[in-house]
Amino acid sequence: MPCSPREIGSLFLFEKLTPEQLGRLCAEGRVERFEPGPVYAEGDPATCFYVMIEGTVVLSRRVGGDDVEVNRTSQPGVYAGAMQAYLGDRVRQVYNSSMRVTEPTRFFVLPADTFAAVMQEWFPMAVHLLEGLFFGSKNTQQMIGQRERLLALGSLSAGLTHELNNPAAAAVRATATLRERVAKMRHKLRVISAGPYSREALANLIEIQERTAERVGKAPALSPLEAADREDALADWLDDHGVEEGWRIAPTFVQAGLDVDWLEQVAAEVDAEILPGAIGWLNYTVETELLVNEIEDSTGRVSHLVDAAKQYAQLDRAPYRVVDVHELLDSTLLMLSGKLGERIKVVKDYDRTLPKVPCYPAELNQVWTNLIDNAVSAVHSAGGDGTLTVRTARQHDRLLVEFRDTGVGIPPEIRGRIFDPFFTTKPVGEGTGLGLDISWRIVVNKHHGGLQVESVPGDTRFQVLLPLTAPEPASGNENTEETV
């Protein structure tokens, strides 16, 4: 269609250009009329810069398997397309959205290379400023993103150190006590063996020791009241049978699951004169078994934490693979248990029938970390006590992971900005404003999924939607700048 310098000069984008500049645009560009339908598609090479003269334009982004509308306007002069052509080969020149028109629409269309040339020729200072803004913002975002990852790593390291310290310290204490108890048991055995006891009596004693050790591993769980009653009964029995300081021995026997009936069996098989020494020796046996159990539990806890750390960091594993998302969630919750503390109750509502999903596990763990961290901050802002519910479910052809907290909620007036880079509601120095932006990029851009939020005071839900089928692995370098 014919291009009129006067017509395009009436558009706000070109209103300050000279007649010569408008004439060059018309000479090197063109006016095209599009019937209702698509103009260009997201991801295609960005070959043209479009300025709408009249009509209605709709921009959309691909989120998972859906096209999500991001802008709709009939304002003459709005523009889209190859807006960053002036950056040349330094960035990937593709359309970052899809554009369609809903009625017959006319555009002024300028080839990308011409747009780049006139920008650099007519507005050299503006091009330098735009380049500085683009690359400076990108570098700043990368640096702050790295800083945020380091801060998160420091927080995780502190939490992990705290969690490891408790079982490690318990194992050290139990080992020292075990050494002392074994020494005393050897001494008691020497005293018993030096006495005038028959081989048969000593054999019976050894057999009782074996049965006692087996019973320790099968000790039933007792309520505090039941344990107190059993301790009193055992202490009375020990006192009646001449065992000194029975009140000290009774709690150990109760913890090991021993009762008066067991003591009666021991008394029936051991001579009366050897009974007090035998009880003392069996007490050391019980203490030794309990200490071994404590060491086993403590070292098992350490091993479990180390496994969780490896799972969280995805060490020695392929960056893109098929995983059970529940394993990722559990490892992240364990790594953040120190930050969650005792005042935040964690509820897991998992659908264990869900299939494994193809993903970048280490990066999804970063998403979980960011969303849990936000939930913790929201709950603390509401008073410190609350609940974090982590739910998984199937939603059509996607897997849903939902983080629900009982915090203060997100005000409606800022809800549309929470995924913007550098936007934060935390005090200065406590938030970078990149946690949710990074999460969005990982979920939406890299996994072709969805990330959305629903919030009222006391009920905020961040919902991550992941495709169940494998998309093409993303490079992670997609440019997310957009139009109009």
Side-chain angles (χ1 to χ4, degrees):
M1 301 182 67
C3 177
S4 166
R6 183 174 182 179
E7 182 178 43
I8 65 171
S10 67
L11 304 175
F12 66 83
L13 189 63
F14 301 135
E15 61 185 358
K16 299 297 183 180
L17 297 184
T18 65
E20 292 78 10
Q21 290 172 326
L22 293 172
R24 178 179 174 181
L25 290 180
C26 272
E28 299 190 29
R30 63 188 184 273
V31 173
E32 287 190 38
R33 174 187 171 95
F34 290 83
E35 296 300 321
V39 177
Y40 61 73
E42 180 178 352
D44 289 347
T47 58
C48 294
F49 177 68
Y50 295 83
V51 183
M52 189 178 74
I53 300 174
E54 61 178 356
T56 300
V57 65
V58 177
L59 295 179
S60 61
R61 293 290 305 270
R62 192 73 173 171
V63 179
D66 303 321
D67 284 318
V68 179
E69 183 176 318
V70 295
N71 199 358
R72 178 187 293 256
T73 180
S74 299
Q75 171 67 43
V78 296
Y79 51 89
M83 294 190 305
Q84 294 168 350
Y86 61 88
L87 295 173
D89 295 335
R90 287 174 290 178
V91 298
R92 187 175 174 223
Q93 296 293 338
V94 297
Y95 293 122
N96 297 312
S97 66
S98 296
M99 185 167 73
R100 61 186 175 88
V101 296
T102 59
E103 60 178 316
T105 301
R106 285 193 304 136
F107 287 98
F108 172 69
V109 183
L110 196 63
D113 53 354
T114 302
F115 174 64
V118 298
M119 284 288 292
Q120 293 166 358
E121 181 180 338
W122 295 347
F123 314 108
M125 183 176 178
V127 168
H128 288 307
L129 291 173
L130 289 171
E131 288 177 345
L133 177 64
F134 177 83
F135 290 112
S137 175
K138 188 175 181 180
N139 291 337
T140 300
Q141 188 168 337
Q142 290 176 345
M143 291 176 63
I144 295 181
Q146 292 173 353
R147 175 65 176 171
E148 178 157 302
R149 291 183 177 93
L150 288 175
L151 290 173
L153 179 61
S155 177
L156 287 172
S157 298
L160 180 61
T161 302
H162 175 74
E163 291 296 319
L164 286 171
N165 181 67
N166 291 333
V172 170
R173 289 193 303 268
T175 301
T177 306
L178 178 62
R179 186 186 302 275
E180 178 187 347
R181 293 297 184 270
V182 170
K184 289 184 177 181
M185 187 166 62
R186 289 197 303 265
H187 174 72
K188 183 68 71 174
L189 180 59
R190 187 182 305 114
V191 172
I192 293 175
S193 62
Y197 309 120
S198 65
R199 294 170 60 90
E200 182 180 354
L202 292 177
N204 286 341
L205 190 56
I206 296 297
E207 184 182 354
I208 293 172
Q209 182 191 37
E210 294 296 331
R211 296 204 307 266
T212 302
E214 292 177 2
R215 190 157 179 171
V216 172
K218 303 175 182 178
L222 300 176
S223 68
L225 183 59
E226 291 172 333
D229 290 342
R230 184 172 291 188
E231 286 177 16
D232 291 340
L234 286 175
D236 291 341
W237 189 96
L238 294 170
D239 290 340
D240 293 342
H241 288 77
V243 179
E244 296 181 358
E245 297 185 332
W247 59 274
R248 290 183 181 273
I249 298 175
T252 303
F253 283 176
V254 171
Q255 186 180 356
L258 308 181
D259 53 20
V260 172
D261 292 339
W262 173 81
L263 288 176
E264 291 290 353
Q265 294 176 21
V266 174
E269 298 183 29
V270 176
D271 295 337
E273 65 271 16
I274 198 178
L275 181 61
I279 293 295
W281 185 52
L282 292 175
N283 178 56
Y284 291 140
T285 299
V286 170
E287 287 184 334
T288 299
E289 290 295 321
L290 291 174
L291 289 168
V292 169
N293 288 344
E294 183 177 349
I295 293 172
E296 183 180 14
D297 290 341
S298 300
T299 54
R301 173 70 173 166
V302 170
S303 178
H304 183 53
L305 286 168
V306 172
D307 287 342
K310 290 177 64 178
Q311 169 73 21
Y312 179 84
Q314 294 294 303
L315 296 176
D316 303 324
R317 303 187 182 194
Y320 184 82
R321 60 193 183 88
V322 178
V323 300
D324 183 349
V325 74
H326 303 106
E327 294 179 359
L328 305 182
L329 292 168
D330 286 341
S331 66
T332 304
L333 287 170
L334 182 56
M335 292 291 290
L336 295 175
S337 57
K339 176 173 287 190
L340 290 166
E342 297 181 355
R343 300 181 63 183
I344 299 180
K345 179 182 178 183
V346 178
V347 177
K348 299 179 183 180
D349 183 10
Y350 292 167
D351 180 357
R352 293 289 186 177
T353 65
L354 291 171
K356 295 182 178 182
V357 294
C359 65
Y360 295 88
E363 300 197 24
L364 283 185
N365 281 339
Q366 186 180 0
V367 174
W368 313 150
T369 300
N370 292 338
L371 297 182
I372 292 172
D373 183 66
N374 281 352
V376 171
S377 298
V379 172
H380 286 169
S381 298
D385 293 313
T387 301
L388 169 65
T389 302
V390 183
R391 182 172 72 93
T392 62
R394 184 165 188 154
Q395 191 170 98
H396 306 299
D397 60 342
R398 295 193 285 183
L399 184 147
L400 167 69
V401 181
E402 180 181 81
F403 297 85
R404 177 184 179 186
D405 68 73
T406 57
V408 293
I410 303 172
E413 59 270 19
I414 67 171
R415 201 170 301 158
R417 301 177 58 198
I418 60 173
F419 295 110
D420 293 346
F422 308 111
F423 178 79
T424 180
T425 59
K426 295 179 181 178
V428 175
E430 293 187 15
T432 62
L434 285 179
L436 290 178
D437 172 58
I438 291 171
S439 299
W440 173 273
R441 292 171 183 267
I442 291 173
V443 174
V444 177
N445 294 346
K446 199 156 190 178
H447 288 85
H448 307 285
L451 178 57
Q452 57 197 33
V453 62
E454 300 174 359
S455 182
V456 295
D459 186 3
T460 297
R461 306 183 186 197
F462 280 90
Q463 297 174 330
V464 177
L465 293 164
L466 299 172
L468 294 172
T469 55
E472 289 295 323
S475 65
N477 297 320
E478 288 85 352
N479 179 17
T480 56
E481 301 295 327
E482 204 32 68
T483 49
V484 182

